Amino acid sequence: MRWRMRACVMAALAIWPAMQARAQGNGTDDGQWVMPAHDYASTRFSRLDQINRGNVGQLKIAFTFSTGLLKGHEAAPLVVGSTMYIVTPFPNYLYALDLNRPGAPLKWKYDPKPAAASQGVACCDVVNRGAAYANGRIFFNTLDDYTVAVDAETGAEVWRTKLGDINLGETMTMAPLVADGKVLVGNSGGEMGVRGWLTALDAGTGKIVWRAWSTGPDKDVLIGPDFKPYYAMDRGKDLGVKTWPPEAWKIGGGNVWGWISYDPELKLVYYGTGNPGPWNPDQRPGDNKWTAGIFARDVTTGQARWYYQFSPHDLFDHDGINEQILITMKVNGKPRKVLLRAERNGYFYVMDRVTGQVIAADPYGNVNASLGVDLKTGRLIPNPDKVTTQGKVVRGICPASPGMKDWNPAAFSPRTGLVYIPHMNLCMDYGAMEANYIAGTPYVGADVKMYAGPGGNRGVFTAWDPGARKAVWEIKEDLPLWSGALVTAGDVVFYGTMDGWFKALDATNGKLLWQFKAGSGIIGQPISYRAPDGKQHIAVLAGVGGWAGAVVAGGLDPRDPTAALGFAGATADLPGKTTGGGMLYDFVLP
Amino acid sequence: MILGLALLSGCDREAREVRGKPLPETAVAAQTSTLFPGGGSAGPEDPRAEMYAENAYHISEGGRLYRQMNCVGCHANGGGGMGPALMDDQWRYGGRMDQIVASIDQGRPNGMPSWRGKLTPTQMWQLAAYVRTLSANVPKDAAPSRNDTMSNIYPRTLAEPEPPSASDPAGAKGPAR
């Protein structure tokens, strides 16, 4: 089935070198790192090339900085001018380090003082995925649902806006994107029956400009006359109500806790929506729009332009929140504006980002949860053997709930044309049961147990060729990969492992060129920048945690494999391999 | 003698209070510190504890509530998640029946909801009795030998009891929240 579908678009996809990232990003690389994804196209590609395949083996520590915290550190540091900014997990400190002085000492610390109680409603450790810089300000979210703007020079708070309510189980963990004078932010809470949204705040004042809900009537979702989804399955009036049992959309999830990209030419933002709630699918017959899919929206008005659902009526907690990398690529000889997504459901999507058409969707690991993607209808083809249902334990589902890849972002190099994907190889047993909605408590209804997939390795680092639609090389990792990737113009690619190895590989063939053992597991996002001394640096936060590392960060008991929503079973050995401890590591050539 | 013991424990296990014991249904006032300036110790356990702790009916009701009230979502089947593990010997606020009831009733600052007004004191005691089964700290004949759901955890009746560690409740397991 899958193969036939694939044949009809056996298209010649070819990377159209060089121009892509430049078209969407901030043109030349000025050596700063002002947003977690480096640029609006979300390439995580640094044009700096002092550090290259030949000399990366000599990388040495330039300085370190302890955050003083033991929870999962998922954020990317930022570098603006001569200052480095680090936002931490709860209690969400913002540190500014002075890169002009030896050892990069602390310049100031901003403490937003989030409510302690918010820790109890954060599904998967109390993480924060980073801050964003624009016009002299640093913007980030707090776990207890504030977006704050801080003066980048002084650390003084400029504004703070409350956007959600922890008593509904709502938290904020994602990194904002600043575009068109607006700060775009979304909520978390897919495990607590929280209704998802994306909100645009005025960067100057913090006032809400628009809010687009992920479920409910079209007017709430900001669906109007401009909305032209590519596939029939996503067309119709008020699907955010009609594809749910009565009222279920009000507690239906679709949270926006992942990544946003922006195309300044089209003035469109792209972002995905999380899983529908509860996990027990029998309590929500229907497609559950607009969860587990991707929206393109006009940045000025918030009006939806198109939408595509990766996982209609999601059966496995396969959120659709992963990053989208915007490039221009030749398809059948013609350059097209596309977006690339290593999706949680296990397929690598190439989509036309003007129309929302799926050009290709190929598995990049072991998938049996579904049988493929029907490129005519756009629909994911369920595997009848793996359909989860109440009162039954379905075994051997791959990929598991965190998917082939979770939030941790891939990188794209216009030099090699490859996408570097840190991801997982996990399968699971899934027992769905009745979930009872009590506001502010979990709304899940599933006992899950995860374990390593075929081959026994729980992590994989894959270099994917989106044109050839296949992996060029891959590295098997014992532990799940939960860190982001970075690739540079020196053709070096970086990522970290959950037991603390920070690795540099040859971007062309995956050869290990250098590694460093950090004090705690790495789940952060590496960056590269040019310091005031003119030298290229590489920086990464260590500090294990996140959903995959909750067993360490939360001190959980892995004798219960259902702990941490089933992840503890797959990482029961982690407490014997690493301990918590947030630390920034910064590297430079001697 | 052996028969007598069996009968006795059997009695506890099956006991039903038709009208309940004439104990006040007020919130418990369990202490959660082990530090007593100049010396001292925590007072005796609330007398209601005994009635619930070893009773199969109350434990099974507690198990039902544990799922129905979504304790299971935050604490899993004892291993923890959004909330701490409840199956080990580490207790932040004490692992005695009355201390567990106090945690449920009052809530705890780092994200444990207060259930006062949402659950009756009886239900809280039943929950506490069930919570104690997660660390196998109830008589084996009273604990459920199989879970009501399809969870994959080791039957609590086969597990070794883990009495709360002597240093608790101060010694919180894992990094303090």
Side-chain angles (χ1 to χ4, degrees):
Chain A
M1 183 73 160
R2 179 161 71 224
W3 297 109
R4 212 194 56 220
M5 292 304 162
R6 204 188 270 192
C8 28
V9 282
M10 216 25 217
L13 309 187
I15 295 289
W16 207 32
M19 78 160 276
Q20 37 268 69
R22 200 170 299 159
Q24 281 76 44
N26 11 350
T28 57
D29 200 317
D30 57 9
Q32 304 189 100
W33 197 282
V34 299
M35 58 182 102
H38 180 262
D39 46 59
Y40 282 146
S42 303
T43 62
R44 290 177 165 79
F45 172 72
S46 163
R47 279 168 207 287
L48 306 182
D49 59 4
Q50 283 175 11
I51 298 168
N52 58 37
R53 288 179 287 176
N55 61 20
V56 64
Q58 300 160 36
L59 274 188
K60 293 275 170 330
I61 290 273
F63 62 90
T64 59
F65 176 79
S66 166
T67 65
L69 299 170
L70 299 171
K71 298 300 182 175
H73 287 62
E74 289 187 350
L78 299 182
V79 173
V80 182
S82 58
T83 309
M84 177 180 285
Y85 301 90
I86 299 166
V87 61
T88 71
F90 179 91
N92 304 132
Y93 299 138
L94 177 67
Y95 291 111
L97 308 182
D98 187 350
L99 299 173
N100 274 329
R101 292 165 57 200
L106 186 61
K107 228 167 144 175
W108 48 255
K109 168 186 172 187
Y110 165 75
D111 179 359
K113 303 199 170 73
S118 62
Q119 296 169 94
V121 287
C123 83
C124 317
D125 195 8
V126 292
V127 298
N128 186 295
R129 302 192 179 85
Y133 168 85
N135 293 328
R137 290 172 184 180
I138 303 282
F139 304 93
F140 70 100
N141 296 317
T142 64
L143 195 62
D144 65 343
D145 303 313
Y146 288 87
T147 300
V148 294
V150 176
D151 186 296
E153 204 46 53
T154 64
E157 184 178 294
V158 183
W159 53 256
R160 73 153 57 204
T161 304
K162 186 171 191 314
L163 292 168
D165 181 1
I166 57 170
N167 277 313
L168 297 177
E170 204 166 15
T171 52
M172 288 173 76
T173 57
M174 56 88 76
L177 183 94
V178 188
D180 193 42
K182 295 176 192 67
V183 185
L184 299 164
V185 296
N187 64 354
S188 307
E191 282 56 57
M192 319 289 282
V194 172
R195 187 182 173 207
W197 45 254
L198 177 76
T199 300
L201 305 166
D202 182 274
T205 63
K207 293 230 163 56
I208 295 180
V209 185
W210 50 260
R211 171 170 284 186
W213 295 91
S214 302
T215 68
D218 285 355
K219 67 168 175 23
D220 289 12
V221 187
L222 303 188
I223 286 179
D226 296 344
F227 186 56
K228 304 217 162 46
Y230 192 84
Y231 298 101
M233 67 170 181
D234 301 315
R235 294 187 212 131
K237 190 158 171 40
D238 292 329
L239 294 184
V241 173
K242 289 180 188 155
T243 58
W244 294 89
E247 310 291 303
W249 55 270
K250 291 182 178 164
I251 51 172
N255 302 89
V256 183
W257 59 274
W259 299 108
I260 311 173
S261 301
Y262 177 54
D263 183 332
E265 280 172 27
L266 300 173
K267 292 217 131 212
L268 291 179
V269 289
Y270 302 91
Y271 70 95
T273 55
N275 62 290
W279 289 17
N280 175 0
D282 292 4
Q283 282 175 263
R284 44 175 175 80
D287 270 2
N288 312 132
K289 301 276 191 253
W290 307 90
T291 65
I294 177 172
F295 272 111
R297 290 187 186 277
D298 182 299
V299 71
T300 313
T301 62
Q303 287 291 318
R305 186 68 56 83
W306 58 258
Y307 168 90
Y308 169 74
Q309 195 165 31
F310 295 109
S311 299
H313 185 64
D314 162 54
L315 301 169
F316 313 107
D317 180 38
H318 284 168
D319 298 57
I321 60 81
N322 288 358
E323 73 289 353
Q324 40 276 309
I325 299 172
L326 313 185
I327 67 165
T328 299
M329 194 167 131
K330 265 191 185 162
V331 181
N332 292 331
K334 279 223 225 47
R336 270 167 90 171
K337 275 176 170 268
V338 302
L339 65 82
L340 309 176
R341 257 177 86 116
E343 188 53 31
R344 183 135 148 180
N345 66 13
Y347 298 92
F348 190 94
Y349 287 78
V350 181
M351 296 180 70
D352 183 317
R353 72 173 183 275
V354 182
T355 65
Q357 181 193 5
V358 177
I359 298 167
D362 306 287
Y364 60 102
N366 295 301
V367 181
N368 67 16
S370 60
L371 298 176
V373 179
D374 181 335
L375 293 181
K376 268 216 192 68
T377 62
R379 218 172 159 88
L380 187 72
I381 306 159
N383 178 352
D385 293 343
K386 302 294 176 191
V387 171
T388 60
T389 182
Q390 189 166 315
K392 192 174 150 193
V393 181
V394 182
R395 298 191 194 276
I397 304 170
C398 319
S401 291
M404 192 68 73
K405 181 175 96 54
D406 204 282
W407 72 279
N408 45 322
F412 171 78
S413 165
R415 290 172 52 86
T416 61
L418 301 178
V419 182
Y420 300 93
I421 315 169
H423 66 106
M424 292 179 290
N425 174 40
L426 296 178
C427 303
M428 66 175 168
D429 301 345
Y430 194 106
M433 59 198 173
E434 178 94 22
N436 182 19
Y437 180 76
I438 303 172
T441 72
Y443 187 50
V444 175
D447 259 353
V448 173
K449 181 184 168 186
M450 303 180 206
Y451 38 84
N457 57 302
R458 291 163 285 182
V460 190
F461 191 82
T462 296
W464 183 266
D465 181 337
R469 301 168 63 180
K470 61 176 178 35
V472 176
W473 50 262
E474 58 175 42
I475 309 288
K476 292 186 165 58
E477 288 285 353
D478 177 28
L479 290 161
L481 280 186
W482 206 256
S483 90
L486 159 74
V487 62
T488 70
D491 291 335
V492 186
V493 56
F494 295 87
Y495 69 94
T497 65
M498 290 190 75
D499 54 356
W501 287 103
F502 187 46
K503 299 189 177 182
L505 312 182
D506 184 326
T508 63
N509 60 20
K511 192 168 163 268
L512 182 66
L513 302 173
W514 170 86
Q515 59 181 345
F516 173 87
K517 181 72 164 65
S520 174
I522 296 173
I523 59 161
Q525 306 160 52
I527 68 159
S528 177
Y529 67 96
R530 192 184 309 110
D533 62 7
K535 286 189 168 171
Q536 181 185 0
H537 288 234
I538 308 286
V540 69
L541 272 169
V544 83
W547 188 10
V551 61
V552 173
L556 308 186
D557 194 324
R559 285 176 300 173
D560 170 9
T562 66
L565 296 164
F567 219 133
T571 47
D573 56 337
L574 195 60
K577 295 190 168 150
T578 190
T579 53
M583 180 81 89
L584 184 280
Y585 291 90
D586 186 283
F587 303 93
V588 70
L589 291 173
Chain B
M1 172 68 175
I2 291 169
L3 184 73
L5 270 179
L7 276 176
L8 265 180
S9 63
C11 271
D12 259 2
R13 179 182 188 279
E14 294 299 335
R16 298 274 194 290
E17 312 77 41
V18 183
R19 272 180 288 130
K21 289 192 187 158
L23 288 167
E25 287 284 278
T26 50
V28 298
Q31 287 153 301
T32 56
S33 174
T34 50
L35 194 57
F36 304 95
S41 65
E45 185 160 28
D46 187 296
R48 280 170 289 182
E50 196 187 349
M51 182 168 105
Y52 295 93
E54 300 180 359
N55 182 284
Y57 167 73
H58 289 311
I59 290 173
S60 123
E61 278 300 287
R64 195 177 55 77
L65 287 165
Y66 187 81
R67 280 174 284 280
Q68 198 180 49
M69 304 313 289
N70 296 342
C71 315
V72 69
C74 285
H75 295 285
N77 291 290
M82 295 171 230
L86 300 176
M87 72 193 296
D88 56 19
D89 65 350
Q90 305 285 309
W91 295 89
R92 297 176 187 181
Y93 305 101
R96 240 165 60 169
M97 281 286 289
D98 56 351
Q99 291 167 320
I100 295 174
V101 170
S103 285
I104 299 170
D105 173 65
Q106 298 166 10
R108 295 301 179 207
N110 298 310
M112 168 67 181
S114 163
W115 295 88
R116 186 177 299 173
K118 307 233 163 39
L119 293 169
T120 66
T122 299
Q123 290 174 316
M124 295 186 201
W125 282 106
Q126 291 173 330
L127 272 163
Y130 177 75
V131 165
R132 299 252 313 168
T133 68
L134 298 171
S135 50
N137 275 309
V138 287
K140 294 206 166 172
D141 66 344
S145 56
R146 60 180 282 276
N147 213 311
D148 287 353
T149 59
M150 53 222 109
S151 97
N152 308 297
I153 73 168
Y154 194 61
R156 296 292 83 202
T157 36
L158 299 179
E160 281 305 311
E162 281 200 68
S165 127
S167 58
D168 282 343
K173 168 154 181 173
R177 288 216 174 216

